Amino acid sequence: MSSATERLPRLLALVPYLLSRPGVPVADVAADFGVTEQQLRKDLELLWMCGLPGYGPGDLIDLSFDSDAVTVTYDAGMRRPLRLTASEATSLLVALRALADTPGITDTDAVQRALAKVEDAVGQAQPTGVVVGLAGREGAVRPGVRETVQQALSRGRAVWMRYYTASRDRVGDRTVDPMRLVLVEGRSYLEGWCRSAESVRLFRLDRIDEIDLLDEPASAPEQAEPRDLAAGLFTPLPDQPVAVLDLEPDARWIAEYYPVDELAELDDGRARIRMRYTDRSWMVRLVVGQGGRASVHEPQDLADDVRRHAEAAVSRARHASAT
Amino acid sequence: MATARAERLVNLVLCLLSTRQYLTAERIRGIVPGYADAPSDEAFFRTFERDKSELRDLGVPLETGRNSAFDSADGYRIARRDYELGDIDLEPDEAAAVALAVRLWDSPEFTGAARGALLKLRAAGVEVDGGASPVVEPKVRTTEPSFPQLLTAVQSGRAATFDYRRPSDASGARRTIEPWGVVSWRGRWYVVGYDRDRGAARCFRLSRIVGDATPIGPSGAVHRPDGVDLLGLVVGDAQEPPASTPTRLWVAAGCAQGLRRKSEVIAESTVDGVPGDVVRLDLSFPESAASWIAGYGPDVVVLEPDTLRKAVTEVHLGVLDPDREAAR
């Protein structure tokens, strides 16, 4: 958003904001409005020049500064902030409704109360045409896992867990310093510092098989930064192996479900995708499971692995039914 | 925004808030500082028009009217009752909920608007601490290219048309719908509405829309029928009936951890000279399970039921001879 369209809403909100907080430090105001102190002082100087027709000393907005705190002494009739616009109301109410309908993320009761109050203040509640259902594929989260994760976060404690890593098809023990609980694309993840991997990792709650709260405090090192999830959960790395797969129409879901680098249309509704992966055995499992609806175009050794895996499976199944 | 313009607009708002009478443009030109500088009538009216539309874009309820039948020109005022945000007083835990809600969006359509809402709530005296890192952070993204187009269509009550590709039908087909809403469920966006071609309510996944969704027809032509549960329509469409099939599988020792963690070991057994376990597993979706189990290749063998065993073998044979798959 350009500074032009941002400044006027801020100017209109500043006087009521200051009215409700006499003597607020300038630095706090700047932080709340997300601007520099320098910009805020320019805004205040501008407001000082504004007021009611007549524009004499008694008509202009009056602010008093006491060291670094500011107080409104005359508001020129700007006592309340402007109502929320339709899109502001939509974005806030849709989000609150989504949280209110999703137990387990936060205090649902507080969200319900906040929702009622915001709806009341916003007025003219119209259907927005946007609904967010946050609850998702949570059925498989084991009992107690979510509670333990929440306790660890609120008490700032480390956890021990037995975790299933799908890419390697391994279950292993980890000690983690929890940082936050995130809900992305309908799934909950614990983000934390994994002490054995020595990096920040996301752990899907439905893949935590056992979890225990430890007595020691969570102590993620300073360099541990929460990941920016704006670009998605999967961060492709340049050193990851690449597979080129040909997908029949029935297997196109792979391109929807996993991040792919490229998608090219082939004939008969088939598509060729380039995708990166972490573990070879995972890629073999994925392709074999498609039963020919997906095939490896490149590299050849991966295609060979897929074939060997399927041949061995057929042979073993014959053996099993023969005995 | 240039200082002069910002100052003029703030003064205009204060002036129109303080008057009960409608003030004509000429009158405003004479009163509000800044307008007197206009070099000509034309320049003044151009500036004034621009200022009015800027205020309306911000949601300032600018009223137009005449004080009496004798007035020759329209005047302007702002009704305080329509301008001011209602009283709101949030408890700390309620304010924390609002802070979390504002952070929910990761979306060009909603993030800025949510921050704008927060600004006004703070101005209304609500203490919302946005700096504290919440321990819970849900995120909702709107990265689908057709999202803003469909949202606009819904909000302006217009029909929309787009090319839609179903997974099993890559060719795609033109669809025309009367959209009632956009819905996020399990992290995916859907548009819900009346499908004109099918003559019924339908949901469409935004990720399967190819190219642009184009609004068509006049604004306000589409109305959502009363009592429609948008999320319900999506959830109803997305959920398959759960059925649970008990299965018995052989799993090679130390292998197929993803399968083992969902099963119960009931015996040890050697197959093809390889030591392993017989496990029991209840499957809700046997069809997708065949693909999942088949992925484990020789490490897992289905013992029963027979249908699943055959399904898994078909998957393996399909890998070895793709034409076989095509013939099915």
Side-chain angles (χ1 to χ4, degrees), chain A residues 21 32 51 77 80-81 83 88 91 113 117 129 131 133 142 169 181 183 185 206 209 249 256 289 316, chain B residues 11 80 83 85-86 89 93-94 105 120 122 127 135 137 139 141 167 182 184 205 208 258 261 291 298:
Chain A
R21 298 166 180 78
D32 268 359
R80 300 283 306 167
R83 273 174 189 254
E88 286 167 349
S91 61
R113 283 183 273 117
K117 288 183 179 178
V131 183
R142 290 183 194 233
D169 194 45
L181 186 59
L183 182 75
E185 292 170 358
D206 62 345
D209 288 346
E256 287 182 354
R316 184 155 298 163
Chain B
N11 277 320
R80 188 171 284 277
Y83 176 94
L85 177 63
D89 183 18
D93 60 346
E94 296 162 359
W105 298 111
K120 289 175 178 173
R122 285 205 176 112
E127 297 294 344
V135 290
E137 192 160 345
K139 283 287 176 200
R141 283 208 297 275
V182 278
S184 168
R205 234 154 95 169
R208 292 178 181 164
R261 59 189 282 273
S291 167

Side-chain angles (χ1 to χ4, degrees), chain B residues 155-170:
Chain B
Q155 290 179 341
S156 56
R158 300 182 70 187
T161 182
F162 48 80
D163 285 322
Y164 192 69
R165 178 166 55 206
R166 289 177 0 143
S168 52
D169 171 21

